[in-house]
């Protein structure tokens, strides 16, 4: 049951409280997402006007200091997280130069240093996924042409290019935290390839059954041999690299659910998957090969067509984007959202919607507010020991937003610390 919606357009927090669905667990925790910053440094100018490009993927570096983003504008952008918290949308837009300008970057010995203007690496194709390689100043990206590329941020150049997906789009790339030289890529050609640092040829290949596309791939953080694979046949496949190209678990029945756009591990015994029927599903990995039904299903966000992102925190709090323009968080034990917040400033969305309506005659239906609202297309947790957990979200407006997930009791203490 929806309790309250904050009137502040920068918060749009939705608080939830539920009846005792799970007996001794009691009511669901009450929390809210507070907007900490918003940056539109990814908005590029195009042919005499401004055009927002979609942020398809976002990730944090292992220190939690920088964010890397990629999408349809054919660039990889690296920026300091603090610059997002300090930036303003109007100021950030005014800082952009014309196409081809190279932003200033401080160079120091040791870890990568990035100024507010960010680092930009031009790529030959649109990008669908980007990840930070643990323990390095490298990022790995997969593009629409089926090429996996590893970039050195200190040298600002590509150091590895692999073409093992027959020119088919790479939907997802992943890096193993426990084996830092291991990279995986999932492609529209129905294969998942494993790569080793320094080699431009895949060392292993896994084929998804029934000719289905591999939409997502994820390593298990507690077991370096396990891979989770989301597929457009609606199933999630779990592959153990020690046992060849087969699968140790098949979650779901082909065709019984809509495409599994994302699959992320929750520990080593559970997987949460995101399907394009506006649902998340939690699966428990038992001894069986085939597990037809999920343990729990989560609903509240909107996802019927687009890829909107999925991320799981170390304490198992789930985050996802939505086609309604909000980012959502879920608590594992409860099927409804824990909290939600708007990716973009709804006040500016309403102003833009009003301008669009003036262009329509009485015989044509003006666009709705939802049609004018940018989608929340990707999410990532900053989950680093010793630093505040933050939720980063990218959108179809080319902007990055940053949120804090706070319980209602913690909000006053947080505001006093500012």
């Amino acid at each position: 049951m929806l309790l309250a919606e904050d009137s502040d357009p920068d918060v749009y927090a939705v608080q939830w409280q539920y009846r005792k669905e799970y007996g001794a667990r009691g009511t669901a925790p009450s929390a809210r997402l507070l907007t900490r910053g918003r940056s539109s440094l990814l908005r590029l100018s195009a042919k005499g006007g401004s055009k927002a490009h979609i942020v398809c993927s976002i990730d944090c570096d292992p220190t939690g200091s920088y964010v890397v983003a990629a999408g349809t504008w054919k660039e990889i952008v690296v920026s300091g997280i603090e610059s997002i918290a300090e930036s303003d949308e109007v100021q950030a837009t005014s800082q952009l130069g014309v196409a081809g300008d190279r932003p200033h970057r401080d160079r120091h010995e040791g870890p990568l240093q990035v100024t507010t203007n960010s680092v930009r690496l031009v790529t030959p194709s649109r990008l669908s996924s980007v990840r930070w390689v643990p323990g390095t100043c490298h990022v790995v990206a997969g593009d629409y042409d089926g090429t996996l590329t590893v970039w050195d941020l200190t040298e600002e150049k590509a150091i590895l290019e692999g073409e093992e997906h027959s020119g088919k789009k790479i939907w997802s790339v992943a890096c193993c935290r426990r084996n830092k030289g291991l990279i995986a890529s999932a492609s529209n050609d129905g294969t998942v390839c494993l790569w080793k640092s320094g080699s431009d040829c895949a060392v292993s290949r896994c084929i998804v059954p029934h000719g289905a596309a591999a939409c997502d791939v994820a390593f298990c953080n507690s077991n370096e041999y396990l891979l989770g694979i989301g597929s457009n046949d609606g199933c999630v496949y779990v592959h153990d690299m020690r046992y060849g190209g087969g699968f140790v678990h098949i979650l779901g029945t082909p065709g019984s659910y809509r495409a599994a756009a994302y699959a992320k591990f929750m520990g080593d015994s559970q997987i949460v998957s995101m399907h394009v029927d506006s649902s998340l599903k939690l699966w428990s990995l038992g001894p069986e090969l085939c597990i037809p039904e999920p343990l729990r299903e989560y609903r509240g966000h909107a996802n019927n067509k687009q890829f909107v992102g999925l991320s799981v925190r170390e304490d198992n709090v789930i985050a996802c984007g939505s086609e309604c323009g909000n980012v959502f968080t879920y608590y594992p034990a409860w099927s409804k959202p824990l909290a939600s917040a708007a990716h973009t400033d709804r006040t500016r969305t309403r102003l833009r919607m009003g301008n669009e309506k003036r262009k329509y005659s009485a015989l044509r239906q003006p666009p709705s507010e939802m049609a004018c609202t940018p989608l929340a297309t990707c999410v990532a947790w900053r989950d680093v020991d010793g630093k505040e957990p933050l939720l980063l979200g990218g959108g179809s407006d080319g902007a990055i937003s940053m949120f804090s997930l706070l319980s209602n009791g913690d909000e006053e203490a947080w505001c006093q610390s500012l």
Side-chain angles (χ1 to χ4, degrees), residues 42 53-60 67-73 75-77 127-132 140-142 144 170-174 216 262 264 307-310 377-380 392-395 399-400:
L42 306 181
H53 292 264
I54 300 171
V55 184
C56 295
S57 184
I58 191 171
D59 195 25
C60 292
V67 58
V68 58
T72 60
W73 62 91
E75 282 187 339
I76 295 173
V77 179
L127 301 172
S128 53
S129 183
V130 64
R131 292 291 179 267
W132 206 293
V140 58
Y144 279 48
I170 293 177
W171 286 110
S172 173
V173 295
D216 189 37
Y262 298 93
K264 306 298 181 187
F307 282 60
V308 295
L310 176 67
T377 54
C378 55
V379 292
L392 296 162
I400 294 176

Side-chain angles (χ1 to χ4, degrees), residues 142-416:
D143 65 26
Y144 279 48
D145 294 333
T147 302
L148 179 136
T149 308
V150 178
W151 295 82
D152 187 320
L153 297 178
T154 57
E155 299 293 333
E156 298 185 8
K157 66 179 183 180
I159 59 174
L160 183 149
E161 291 186 356
E163 300 177 352
E164 295 279 351
H165 290 293
S166 306
K168 300 291 186 179
K169 181 191 295 185
I170 293 177
W171 286 110
S172 173
V173 295
C175 298
C176 184
R177 291 187 184 179
R178 297 174 66 90
N179 186 345
K180 296 182 180 179
L182 195 59
I183 299 169
S185 58
S187 170
N188 212 35
D189 67 353
T191 66
V192 172
C193 291
L194 293 174
W195 312 76
K196 280 283 190 179
S197 295
S199 173
D200 58 359
C201 295
V203 297
S204 179
R205 183 188 300 264
C206 180
I207 301 175
V208 178
H210 316 297
C215 300
D216 189 37
V217 61
F219 285 97
C220 178
N221 290 336
S222 55
N223 187 335
E224 62 184 285
Y225 300 108
L226 292 183
L227 277 176
I229 303 167
S231 171
N232 71 347
D233 66 359
C235 294
V236 176
Y237 299 91
V238 181
H239 171 60
D240 192 319
M241 292 180 281
R242 295 170 291 186
Y243 302 113
F247 300 102
V248 294
H249 296 291
I250 299 175
L251 312 180
T253 305
S256 59
Y257 301 112
R258 296 283 300 276
Y262 298 93
K264 306 298 181 187
F265 279 92
M266 191 179 287
D268 59 358
S269 61
Q270 292 181 325
I271 283 182
V272 60
S273 60
M274 182 177 217
H275 299 256
V276 289
D277 60 355
S278 300
S279 74
L280 300 173
K281 293 176 172 57
L282 179 64
W283 306 85
S284 180
L285 305 181
E288 306 89 354
L289 170 64
C290 298
I291 303 174
E293 298 293 334
L295 181 66
R296 184 166 293 118
E297 189 174 87
Y298 308 92
R299 288 188 180 272
H301 62 284
N303 178 214
N304 296 296
K305 184 178 180 181
Q306 307 293 336
F307 282 60
V308 295
L310 176 67
S311 184
V312 179
R313 213 163 68 178
E314 285 294 334
D315 60 1
N316 295 338
V317 178
I318 305 164
C320 69
S322 175
E323 292 171 13
C324 70
N326 282 25
V327 294
F328 286 78
T329 58
Y330 292 88
Y331 186 68
W334 303 95
S335 60
K336 297 296 183 181
L338 174 64
S340 171
H343 159 70
T344 190
D345 188 335
R346 292 290 175 82
T347 302
R348 300 186 184 191
T349 298
R350 294 189 183 103
L351 290 174
R352 183 170 64 252
M353 182 184 66
N355 293 333
E356 289 292 329
K357 283 184 176 180
R358 297 189 187 100
K359 301 177 184 178
Y360 286 74
S361 67
L363 300 178
R364 297 176 62 193
Q365 183 178 3
S368 64
E369 181 174 344
M370 186 171 178
C372 293
T373 301
L375 311 181
T377 54
C378 55
V379 292
W381 286 107
R382 184 184 78 169
D383 197 10
V384 179
D385 290 341
K387 292 190 176 182
E388 176 192 2
L390 295 173
L391 178 60
L392 296 162
S396 60
D397 58 349
I400 294 176
S401 297
M402 187 166 66
F403 307 90
S404 290
L405 178 63
L406 302 173
S407 68
N408 285 336
D410 292 337
E411 182 185 345
E412 183 178 353
W414 180 83
C415 292
Q416 291 176 354

